[in-house]
Amino acid sequence: MSYAVDPAYRPMMGFLPELDVSDAEKARAVILSMRMKDPMAAVPAGIVVDHRSMPTSDGSEIDLVVFRPEDPVGQPLPCILYFHGGGFIFGDAATDVRVPSALAADLDAMVVSVNYRLAPEHPFPTPFDDAFDALSWIAGDNGLGIDPTRIVLAGISAGAGLAAAVALKARDVGGPAVIFQALDSPVLDDRLLTTSATEYIDSPLWNRENGIDSWRHYLGDPDRSVTSEYAAPARAGDLSGLPPAYIAVASFDPLRDEGIDYAQRLTQAGVPTELHLYPGTFHGSSGVFPQAAISQRIDADYTAAIRRALTS
């Protein structure tokens, strides 16, 4: 299939890798080869980076990367709990720093990026439990100077799916309180039955087969008729009472339609929801080509939505 990507992307398309996530280790090697040798070079001046660890509900520990302004305007700080992408199988908080560090700088906020455990070594529910444990931890007495009344859940791709799932559970169990969910290209539906999920078999960077393999790694091979809504938030029957949402989707992304459907269902459930569909984009395009004007617009819109939530 031919994809009419944004003109700014066209000269760079030949540099995209052929990503195949059927083998998790090989996929991780490909992604590592794309990373900067010094990822912390992407951190803006004036942002302090701290590495912390926190206990999980199963008795383990996971790492957190905390981004905060060196000279914040006030204390305590609002907090953005951020979940990196990677199809549930690759990525980590220590190298995926561009977006969370920029959010800390632009919003004068603390951003806590969660190094949740990865499938297939740690399938659902472990990554989800890590994500919810992180919310409980930042809302508690952790010494970070966080304002627990101004917590935002944010993420991209699989991380956005985790953010949506954490919002569901926080509603279901009565807290911790979340004021907003910012979901960039969220992974929400393991059924893969939407038009975009079925038609985009060779879309740039992420395609239907990668989606199938990603869910296989995350869920194993269970009876999909009983998939938990905390694994696939699109399965949730009731979306009422969730925090307001911002959802961004890319036009040439197998995940496009599940994001659109989720935004529509949130709206119908009475949840204030803003949806952006960016023409000429594909899954992860703003991350791999951040210098392009369309990528900068995606980042700016995402940041502005969170700013509105924090100041309203």
Side-chain angles (χ1 to χ4, degrees):
M1 187 182 296
S2 177
Y3 299 93
V5 300
D6 187 274
Y9 290 155
R10 291 173 195 163
M12 301 177 282
M13 293 299 288
F15 295 97
L16 282 178
E18 292 290 334
L19 184 61
D20 177 357
V21 304
S22 59
D23 184 312
E25 284 299 326
K26 289 182 179 178
R28 290 168 185 164
V30 169
I31 295 301
L32 281 175
S33 72
M34 296 173 61
R35 299 289 191 194
M36 296 170 58
K37 291 184 179 179
D38 182 13
M40 288 301 174
V43 176
I47 293 300
V48 176
V49 182
D50 294 324
H51 295 266
R52 301 285 294 266
S53 62
M54 53 154 278
T56 61
S57 53
D58 67 358
S60 300
E61 280 197 347
I62 58 171
D63 296 326
L64 306 170
V65 181
V66 180
F67 304 89
R68 59 180 177 83
E70 188 172 16
D71 296 306
V73 172
Q75 290 279 2
L77 291 175
C79 182
I80 301 162
L81 187 63
Y82 186 83
F83 304 103
H84 67 80
F88 303 112
I89 66 168
F90 58 80
D92 65 88
T95 60
D96 190 353
V97 303
R98 184 183 67 85
V99 171
S101 64
L103 290 173
D106 293 341
L107 300 174
D108 202 47
M110 187 172 302
V111 181
V112 178
S113 186
V114 182
N115 209 47
Y116 56 89
R117 285 170 284 182
L118 299 174
E121 295 86 351
H122 301 283
F124 178 83
T126 298
F128 165 73
D129 288 341
D130 288 350
F132 188 79
D133 288 345
L135 173 62
S136 301
W137 188 82
I138 66 163
D141 184 13
N142 49 55
L144 287 179
I146 290 169
D147 180 352
T149 68
R150 291 191 293 165
I151 294 176
V152 170
L153 298 172
I156 183 170
S157 190
L162 288 171
V166 169
L168 282 168
K169 183 171 181 179
R171 178 204 63 180
D172 293 345
V173 301
V178 173
I179 64 168
F180 196 66
Q181 48 183 326
L183 314 178
D184 184 354
S185 304
V187 176
L188 299 165
D189 196 344
D190 64 306
R191 292 165 292 192
L192 301 172
L193 295 177
T194 66
T195 298
S196 60
T198 55
E199 289 188 355
Y200 290 158
I201 60 173
D202 58 355
S203 44
L205 202 62
W206 194 260
N207 55 42
R208 176 174 176 79
E209 285 303 314
N210 283 338
I212 292 171
D213 288 328
S214 172
W215 280 111
R216 174 175 55 81
H217 290 312
Y218 190 45
L219 297 178
D221 292 306
D223 178 357
R224 292 292 182 87
S225 66
V226 294
T227 299
S228 169
E229 63 190 47
Y230 297 151
R235 298 243 188 197
D238 177 14
L239 299 184
S240 63
L242 289 169
Y246 175 91
I247 298 179
V249 296
S251 57
F252 303 123
D253 184 355
L255 304 174
R256 180 195 66 202
D257 293 345
E258 62 197 67
I260 293 172
D261 291 347
Y262 200 68
Q264 183 177 30
R265 291 185 57 217
L266 284 168
T267 300
Q268 292 168 343
V271 177
T273 303
E274 183 174 349
L275 171 67
H276 284 228
L277 166 60
Y278 294 96
T281 59
F282 54 90
H283 191 78
S285 59
S286 63
V288 293
F289 301 140
Q291 68 273 35
I294 183 67
S295 299
Q296 293 176 16
R297 181 155 64 92
I298 291 169
D299 289 345
D301 289 344
Y302 189 74
T303 303
I306 299 174
R307 178 182 290 110
R308 290 191 295 272
L310 291 175
T311 57
S312 61

